[in-house]
Amino acid sequence: MDFTISEKMKTILGMIDEFVDKELIPLESEFLTKSARSLLPVFEEKRRMVKQMELWAPNHPKEYGGMALNLMEHALVSESLGRSPLGHYIFGCQAPDAGNIEILHQFGSDEQKEKYLRPLVDGKIRSCFSMTEVELPGSNPVMMDTTAVKDGDDYVINGQKWYTSSADGSEFAIVMAVTNPEAGPYLQASMIIVPIDTPGFNLVRNIAVMGHAGEDYFSHAEILYQNCRVPQSNLLGSEGHGFVIAQERLGPGRIHHCMRWIGICNRAFDLMVARARDRIIAPNRKLATKQIIQSWIGECAAAIQAARLMVLHAAWRIETVGKKDARKEISFIKFVVANVMQKVIDRALQVHGGLGMTDDTILAFYYRHERAARIYDGADEVHKISVAKRILKEYEGRQVR
Ligand SMILES: Cc1cc2nc3c(=O)[nH]c(=O)nc-3n(C[C@H](O)[C@H](O)[C@H](O)COP(=O)(O)OP(=O)(O)OC[C@H]3O[C@@H](n4cnc5c(N)ncnc54)[C@H](O)[C@@H]3O)c2cc1C
């Protein structure tokens, strides 16, 4: 693997780092204390600045106004943006829109692309992805109760979803619903675009997650679909291909998520080291003089480096052998990086003592919000089992002495 960063990317990353430091990190105390909706005009202004710098939508297609960076390039961008919880949103590459953009680009009809994809990449609208159900295991999503039944030229959708992230204020949802109950388990569901002003699309509540319901982009909703009727032309891709399309979002999306988490690790680590160097714990004694703190610093630095290399390696595998053959590496990074991040945030918070528990630093926010990384996009256990099964298969018929 070649780790050289091109001159073009060095310039881009330098500009992004400077923007995050100067424009976003200073905004975080307001972000932590005010409602997200009240800050939308400020966020809009920052987004305008990003567009002026021609750094908008780094991973999205050029013909729709993005920069079309490749997977490795965007991985590095994602790491830089991860240093602030506002990074991806302000640069127009936030989940779940990023994944929705990918699948609309790949599977959308011309009409869907004009109506939904173009304004989405432009940041004029937002979207959400509605798959997980309240009563059934998200870890085994083929168990799905939501149905979309054909009636005339329409689909009529009924079901109860939750954790439809960022539904509040979105223009449309991409909903997974069973359209072909007689087919095999992975060919029963379809993805359907549902504008949220459709009668029967009921946003029940923004769920309180770790004590905070949030709003607008920074929220997770419960949605009740009650006889929600949309034209059949809102089907994304082919009928029954919902899981096939979902697989397509997986590889590159995982790299972006994991590099965002590495960015979070870097930020928490910086805060930890700075605090250890500054905090006086006895006359003429800084916290950093204590061996246990030095040990945490060493451990965290090595863990971040190892996790980062794993993600870059997985990205390289996707680019060189393709998503299918890189499945093991794609699963590895999900649980390894999520756990490294959790440990690094925890250590950084501990080093800050009581201050770490407050919202005077970003650490408590990360501690609350990023715990979910071990659950969404496949829980730790699911990925470990899937990796183990693959490995066990590789050993079939192999003589080991
Ligand atoms: C912050 C956040 C944002 C989310 N955003 C979205 C979104 O935008 N759209 C969306 O559709 N969904 C979203 N989700 C939902 C997420 O995808 C599910 O929570 C996840 O798939 C797990 O499903 P579940 O919660 O039903 O847990 P379950 O499937 O009930 O699993 C519970 C636990 O059981 C264990 N487990 C599960 N399967 C196995 C197994 N085979 N072997 C051993 N142990 C197992 C794991 O520890 C797991 O955590 C989000 C979730 C969170 C927390």
Side-chain angles (χ1 to χ4, degrees), residues 254 258 261-262 265 302-311 328-344 373-374 378-381 383-384 387:
R254 182 73 47 72
C258 288
W261 297 341
I262 297 289
C265 289
I304 297 169
Q305 169 81 336
R308 184 173 190 271
L309 291 176
M310 275 184 96
V311 185
K328 198 164 69 181
E329 288 81 3
I330 295 171
S331 271
F332 279 157
I333 59 172
K334 174 62 181 45
F335 63 87
V336 170
V337 186
N339 281 276
V340 166
M341 173 175 62
Q342 199 190 341
K343 182 173 172 186
V344 172
R374 293 183 47 209
D380 282 1
E381 295 70 25
H383 286 290
K384 286 179 189 173
V387 162

Side-chain angles (χ1 to χ4, degrees), residues 95-96 128-141 161-166 174 209 219-220 249 369 371-382 385 389:
C128 52
F129 184 67
S130 203
M131 178 156 94
T132 306
E133 306 201 341
V134 179
E135 298 295 343
L136 290 167
S139 303
N140 187 15
K161 303 279 190 182
W162 78 343
Y163 276 109
T164 299
S165 296
S166 312
I174 296 182
V209 175
S219 64
H220 309 280
R249 297 169 54 120
H369 283 258
R371 175 63 180 82
R374 293 183 47 209
I375 295 172
Y376 62 70
D377 198 11
D380 282 1
E381 295 70 25
V382 174
I385 289 167
K389 280 185 181 157

